[in-house]
Amino acid sequence: MTDHQGEFDPVSGRSTTGHEWDGIKELNTPLPRWWVITFYLTIVWAIGYWIVYPAWPLISSNTRGVLGYSSRANLAVELANLETARGEKMVALGATSLADIEKDPALLAFARARGRTVFGDNCAPCHGSGAAGAKGFPNLNDDDWLWGGTLDQIMQTIQFGARSGHAKAHEGQMLAFGKDGVLKPDEIVTVANYVRSLSGLSTGKGFDAAKGEKIFADNCVACHGDGGKGNPELGAPNLTDKIWLYGSDEATLIETISQGRAGVMPAWEGRLDPATIKAMAVYVHSLGGGK
Amino acid sequence: MNKAVNPNELTSDDDYGPLYAARKKVYPQSVHGTFRRIKWGLMAFCLGVYYFLPFVRWNRGLGAPSQAVLIDLPNSRFYFFFIELWPQEVYYFTGLLIVAAVVLFLMNSVGGRIWCGYLCPQTVWTDLFYAVERFVEGDRRDRMMKDKSAGALTLRRVSEIVLKNFIWLLIAWWAGGAWVLYFSDAPTLVKQLLTFQAPMVAYIWIGILTATTFVLAGYLREQVCTYMCPWPRIQAALTDEWALNVTYRYDRGEKRTSVKKAAELRAHGEQVGDCIDCYQCVAVCPTGIDIRNGPQLECIQCGLCIDACDNVMTRIGRPKRLIGYDNDINIQRRQEGRAPIYRIVRPRTIVYSAIIAAVGGIMLYTLATRSLLDVNVLHDRNPVAVRLSDGSIRNAYTVRLLNKSGYDRVIAIDANGPVNATVHVVGIDSVTPDRPMIVIPRDSTSELRLLVTAPADGNPEKSIPVRFHVTDIGLGEVASATDNFVAP
Ligand code: SF4
Ligand code: SF4
C-alpha cells in the first residue's frame, strides 16, 4: 500500500495519516472498500432520487420529478378510497328508516360517528362542540325541545330549519308585546312574574297572581297553551319546566316579552346530503334528550 | 522504509495511505472441542425454534387462531401459547424489551460478548454458511488454494460455487419464509405461497429477508460485526474488568518457541512459554484475528480459538486453556505471580439480576392476574352535566367494554353514585331499563353511551364519585371503573 508516504507507528505497526493533535497522531485506519463503494452508491441513489421524485425548490415551484409523484395526488386518491369505503355504510344509512338505524348497533355507531363529525363542522358554532348550547341556542343534550324531540321531529328541524326561509321551515315567533304596544309596562312585569311562578320560581313583591293569570290567558295561551305547557307545533317553549333558552330571571323575561324572540335555525337540506342529515338526527337524538 | 513526514509541512488535506482497504478474506478452519460443541448445540436449538415454531399448534377453540405463536396484525392480537395480548397491553412488550436489554447487560458483565459469539443471528447463520462452504469446497487450505487459482474455472470449480450458493440461498429463503409464517396461519400460508395465492407483502418480505440473510451471512460475515453492528461499541462501554473474555495468557504463553526448542530449554531448566506459535488459533478464527495480540474489537468471543489451542496443548502434552475465558484483573495478577480471582457475584450483576427479577416478576404477576373483562369510562366534557326539564341532573359517559375471552358474554351495568340515580344506555332501553344488559361478542370491544340521571334534590355536592360495575351474568366476573358525577 502507500504506507511509505506517511509516518509509521511502531506500536500498532500501522502508518499514520500525518494528522496530529496535542501530540496524539491519528492512525490510518481505512474503511473497507465495500463500505466506500456503498457510500458512493448512496450518492448515486440520491441523484437518481432527485431526478425521479420532486426535489429541488425553485423560485416559485419545485422540480417535479419524472415520475410525476405528488403527495397531494396521493391524498386525493386516499380520500376517494375513504369515500368508497364509507359509501356502503352511507347507502345503508340512506336506505334504513330512522327508527331502524338505532336498532342496528353497527349502523348506530357509524351514524353517531358520522353525525359527530358533521355536527362539529356545521352545528358547533351555535350549539357548541358538545351540543351544550348557549344563551339563545338550545342545549341538545337535555330533554326540552322547542320543535319536538322525536327522531322524526329532530330530523325535520335539521332538514328545514326554523324561520330559515325554507318553504317547509318551522314558523312561529314570540311577539314583541311591549314594543308593539299590546301590553303596558306594568302588565309585562306582572306576566313575567306569573311565568316565573309557573315553574316554581320566586315572584317579586306585590305580585298579583290573579292579574298575571288573566294577562297570560288573554295573550299567551294561544301559543304556550293552557298552563304554559308549550306547543312544539309553534316552537312555543314549555314555561313550566326548569329549562330556559334565554334565561329565567325577571329582567330577561321582561326583555323577552317586550322585544319578542325569533331565533333562526338554518335549513340543512341541500347543503348536506340526506344520509348525512339522517346521521345527524340520530346523533342528536342519541345525545340523551331524544324522546 | 517509513519516511517520517514533518508535521509542520502537512496541511489538513494531506492524507497519506489508502482511502479504503481491500477486505482480507478470512478462511476459518474447522475445529473440534467444547466450545464448538456448545455452538453446534445452540445453533440447532435457535434455528430449530425459529424455523419450526410457526408450525406448532395450540387449540384456542372455534374461530380463534390455532397457532401457538402468532402476530395477528389485521386484528391487532398477539398470541403466545396460552397468552393472548391486546394492543392496549403493549406494555408487556416494553417489559420484554427491558428484560431482554438487561439480560444482555448481565451476559456482558458475566461473560463479555457471549451474545455475539453464540446467539446473535448473524453469528449463527454465518456459522451455518461456513459449514456449508466447508462441506462443498473443503477446509481452509482447500478453499485458499481454490481462491488463489480462481483463474482456472474448471467445470468442477464452477459447479462447486453454484452448489454452495444454491444451498445458501435455500437456507436464506427459509429464513425469510419462516419470518412471514409468524404473521399468518402457517400451514395455510405455506399452501398459498406454493400456489402463488399469498398476499404480495408476504413475497416481498420473504424476498427482503432472503436477500439480507444470503448477503450478510454468505458474503459480509465478520464485516457485519466489525463495521455495521453497534453492539461491539456499546458493549465496550458496558463491560468492566471482571467480565470474562477470551484471553491469551501471556504469562504462560510467552516466550513462544517451537516444541523442540521448548523441550531443550526446559531440560536446561529455563523458563519458556507454552505457545508453540502454530497459528492454529488464528486459522480457526471467524474474524481472522490473532487473539495473542490482546483484546480486540473484532473478537466476537466465540471460543473457537480456545478449542483450537486446547487441541494443540493436548497433543504436545501441556495443560489446556492457554487461551481461555479470563478477566482483565487476572491478566495483571498472573503477570505479578498472584493467584487468579473470579467474581461473578458483584454489585453490577446483582443489580442487573434484580432488575430482571423485578420486571419479570411484575410481568408475570400482571399476566397471571389480568382480567379478561375490562371497562373504561370517559366522562363527557362538553357539557359535563345537563339539567333536565324536571330539574334533575344528568351526566353522560362513554363506556368501553372489553371482552378478552373466547366466548360471548352477557353483561349487566350498574352505577353506584348519587342517591336514586338511574342508569340508561343509549340504544338498549327496551330490554332492561333499570339495569342495562348487553351482549359483548367474544374477543372484542363495545363502546356505549351511558347516561346517569340523579333527582334534583339530594345532591348538594358539586361532585360525587360514581363507580361503574360491569358483571358477567353467567360467570359473575366483575370489572369496575370510577368516575365522577358532577352538578352543573
Ligand atoms: S479470537 Fe477467538 S474468540 Fe475471538 S473471534 Fe477469533 S476465534 Fe473467536
Ligand atoms: S493455538 Fe495455542 S499454541 Fe498455537 S499459536 Fe495459538 S496460542 Fe500458540
Side-chain angles (χ1 to χ4, degrees):
Chain A
M1 305 246 169
T2 46
D3 288 0
H4 58 279
Q5 284 184 9
E7 251 181 308
F8 179 74
D9 173 55
V11 179
S12 65
R14 296 230 199 100
S15 67
T16 72
T17 60
H19 302 163
E20 184 180 337
W21 291 272
D22 298 336
I24 298 169
K25 284 176 188 150
E26 183 187 26
L27 287 183
N28 178 25
T29 312
L31 285 167
R33 180 166 35 202
W34 63 265
W35 232 138
V36 180
I37 292 172
T38 311
F39 173 61
Y40 289 141
L41 284 178
T42 59
I43 295 177
V44 173
W45 173 270
I47 294 170
Y49 202 92
W50 291 341
I51 297 166
V52 171
Y53 284 104
W56 286 95
L58 305 175
I59 290 168
S60 58
S61 64
N62 59 294
T63 54
R64 298 264 169 241
V66 295
L67 280 192
Y69 168 89
S70 124
S71 50
R72 195 175 271 270
N74 276 10
L75 178 70
V77 170
E78 271 168 36
L79 283 179
N81 287 347
L82 189 68
E83 281 308 316
T84 334
R86 269 193 201 143
E88 229 173 273
K89 283 265 167 85
M90 289 301 280
V91 169
L93 214 53
T96 313
S97 79
L98 273 172
D100 288 346
I101 293 174
E102 291 211 337
K103 282 182 200 134
D104 178 346
L107 209 51
L108 173 64
F110 176 76
R112 272 184 54 80
R114 173 89 182 147
R116 175 157 48 218
T117 329
V118 181
F119 188 92
D121 289 347
N122 299 284
C123 317
C126 294
H127 290 284
S129 58
K135 188 175 169 178
F137 301 99
N139 183 345
L140 305 178
N141 289 279
D142 64 26
D143 60 345
D144 189 30
W145 298 91
L146 289 175
W147 306 100
T150 66
L151 262 172
D152 290 318
Q153 285 168 324
I154 292 172
M155 168 111 170
Q156 196 193 356
T157 306
I158 298 171
Q159 225 173 343
F160 308 123
R163 310 174 193 99
S164 62
H166 191 286
K168 291 190 195 161
H170 292 305
E171 295 299 344
Q173 54 182 302
M174 174 75 190
L175 302 174
F177 288 93
K179 212 164 80 185
D180 298 346
V182 181
L183 291 176
K184 290 191 214 60
D186 65 310
E187 290 175 320
I188 291 175
V189 174
T190 308
V191 81
N193 273 288
Y194 177 73
V195 167
R196 275 175 65 81
S197 73
L198 285 179
S199 54
L201 296 168
S202 63
T203 48
K205 242 192 246 138
F207 160 63
D208 183 345
K211 193 173 158 209
E213 191 178 353
K214 169 103 181 29
I215 301 168
F216 190 85
D218 290 347
N219 301 281
C220 313
V221 165
C223 293
H224 291 284
D226 275 340
K229 288 253 188 292
N231 181 359
E233 290 298 310
L234 300 165
N238 181 349
L239 303 176
T240 63
D241 64 19
K242 302 277 190 294
I243 293 167
W244 298 86
L245 187 53
Y246 294 93
S248 62
D249 58 297
E250 194 181 337
T252 307
L253 280 172
I254 291 171
E255 182 189 327
T256 302
I257 298 163
S258 308
Q259 311 286 331
R261 300 285 184 189
V264 172
M265 160 83 182
W268 293 96
E269 197 190 49
R271 283 194 260 184
L272 298 174
D273 62 278
T276 302
I277 292 180
K278 247 185 189 171
M280 241 159 52
V282 170
Y283 170 68
V284 170
H285 186 258
S286 73
L287 285 172
K291 303 266 155 101
Chain B
M1 94 185 176
N2 290 284
K3 191 176 61 169
V5 178
N6 179 1
N8 298 328
E9 289 169 11
L10 294 168
T11 69
S12 61
D13 293 333
D14 284 321
D15 226 334
Y16 294 95
L19 178 59
Y20 57 73
R23 175 180 167 195
K24 282 197 214 85
K25 194 161 179 202
V26 185
Y27 297 89
Q29 189 173 310
S30 68
V31 61
H32 304 282
T34 317
F35 295 98
R36 182 64 267 185
R37 273 198 297 280
I38 296 175
K39 272 174 75 72
W40 285 134
L42 285 173
M43 181 202 284
F45 176 73
C46 294
L47 293 183
V49 168
Y50 175 73
Y51 281 127
F52 295 105
L53 194 54
F55 295 99
V56 177
R57 304 286 95 189
W58 194 267
N59 187 11
R60 289 192 187 84
L62 206 67
S66 58
Q67 187 156 323
V69 178
L70 178 69
I71 301 160
D72 188 358
L73 289 181
N75 300 312
S76 309
R77 294 285 185 278
F78 176 78
Y79 301 93
F80 187 83
F81 294 93
F82 59 94
I83 302 169
E84 178 192 332
L85 294 184
W86 282 43
Q88 50 271 75
E89 290 165 326
V90 283
Y91 47 77
Y92 285 116
F93 292 97
T94 316
L96 216 55
L97 286 178
I98 294 172
V99 169
V102 183
V103 165
L104 215 50
F105 297 170
L106 182 64
M107 278 164 115
N108 197 67
S109 60
V110 170
R113 290 168 71 180
I114 306 180
W115 166 261
C116 298
Y118 298 89
L119 295 167
C120 174
Q122 172 65 17
T123 297
V124 170
W125 265 295
T126 304
D127 219 19
L128 181 60
F129 275 40
Y130 268 133
V132 170
E133 192 167 72
R134 237 174 254 133
F135 170 72
V136 177
E137 296 183 343
D139 210 347
R140 175 176 161 92
R141 197 185 289 269
D142 298 321
R143 297 207 305 275
M144 284 171 114
M145 259 160 46
K146 282 172 181 165
D147 271 4
K148 271 221 186 79
S149 59
L153 278 181
T154 58
L155 189 63
R156 195 186 141 79
R157 179 77 189 122
V158 171
S159 56
E160 265 181 13
I161 294 173
V162 169
L163 179 63
K164 175 181 82 175
N165 281 285
F166 178 70
I167 301 177
W168 280 358
L169 211 53
L170 283 184
I171 299 171
W173 165 77
W174 198 5
W179 174 263
V180 299
L181 296 183
Y182 285 92
F183 294 85
S184 183
D185 184 60
T188 320
L189 187 60
V190 169
K191 222 174 284 159
Q192 289 174 335
L193 286 167
L194 293 179
T195 51
F196 298 102
Q197 316 249 290
M200 198 57 203
V201 60
Y203 292 105
I204 291 173
W205 272 105
I206 294 178
I208 291 173
L209 289 160
T210 304
T212 48
T213 311
F214 181 76
V215 173
L216 293 182
Y219 288 95
L220 280 170
R221 302 177 160 181
E222 83 288 347
Q223 300 275 304
V224 175
C225 314
T226 313
Y227 295 101
M228 292 179 169
C229 178
W231 182 234
R233 283 90 186 155
I234 297 170
Q235 77 91 32
L238 284 171
T239 198
D240 65 359
E241 70 277 18
W242 291 101
L244 292 173
N245 285 315
V246 175
T247 312
Y248 167 72
R249 291 168 176 160
Y250 303 95
D251 54 301
R252 214 190 106 186
E254 305 296 308
K255 286 252 182 133
R256 308 171 192 171
T257 39
S258 69
V259 189
K260 224 192 252 161
K261 237 190 180 162
E264 252 169 51
L265 288 171
R266 271 197 201 97
H268 288 94
E270 276 188 54
Q271 169 67 39
V272 275
D274 280 345
C275 176
I276 56 167
D277 221 1
C278 63
Y279 276 89
Q280 278 306 297
C281 49
V282 180
V284 299
C285 177
T287 68
I289 56 164
D290 187 345
I291 191 66
R292 296 173 303 166
N293 293 341
Q296 285 149 78
L297 175 80
E298 290 90 339
C299 176
I300 55 169
Q301 291 176 15
C302 59
L304 293 183
C305 52
I306 305 181
D307 282 344
C309 189
D310 277 358
N311 293 341
V312 173
M313 291 297 121
T314 316
R315 230 175 298 141
I316 65 167
R318 305 291 301 170
K320 286 180 173 188
R321 296 296 142 88
L322 171 56
I323 303 176
Y325 278 97
D326 206 349
N327 62 34
D328 289 359
I329 289 176
N330 288 336
I331 295 174
Q332 195 78 36
R333 288 175 70 94
R334 274 214 204 76
Q335 267 166 351
E336 293 163 5
R338 289 191 285 165
I341 43 170
Y342 300 93
R343 195 178 295 158
I344 288 180
V345 182
R346 49 185 204 275
R348 188 185 280 254
T349 53
I350 293 173
V351 168
Y352 289 154
S353 309
I355 296 175
I356 294 169
V359 178
I362 293 170
M363 279 173 60
L364 282 182
Y365 176 77
T366 51
L367 207 56
T369 56
R370 82 193 184 118
S371 70
L372 296 176
L373 177 68
D374 215 347
V375 55
N376 297 317
V377 173
L378 194 70
H379 196 291
D380 261 19
R381 274 163 301 164
N382 181 14
V384 287
V386 177
R387 167 99 48 203
L388 297 185
S389 51
D390 61 356
S392 55
I393 302 162
R394 196 184 64 207
N395 280 201
Y397 306 84
T398 302
V399 176
R400 181 176 276 270
L401 298 167
L402 292 81
N403 179 8
K404 297 181 197 167
S405 63
Y407 39 85
D408 300 355
R409 295 175 147 187
V410 182
I411 300 290
I413 304 172
D414 305 280
N416 296 347
V419 190
N420 294 330
T422 58
V423 185
H424 170 75
V425 172
V426 171
I428 64 154
D429 42 347
S430 51
V431 193
T432 40
D434 299 334
R435 193 189 189 205
M437 276 187 213
I438 59 151
V439 178
I440 341 177
R442 66 165 164 219
D443 198 26
S444 69
T445 61
S446 308
E447 203 180 272
L448 309 170
R449 185 171 164 79
L450 191 141
L451 310 170
V452 176
T453 312
D457 41 347
N459 292 304
E461 297 118 286
K462 197 89 180 103
S463 170
I464 306 162
V466 49
R467 195 154 177 80
F468 297 92
H469 297 281
V470 296
T471 316
D472 180 322
I473 296 294
L475 295 172
E477 194 177 347
V478 177
S480 46
T482 310
D483 209 302
N484 286 308
F485 185 90
V486 200

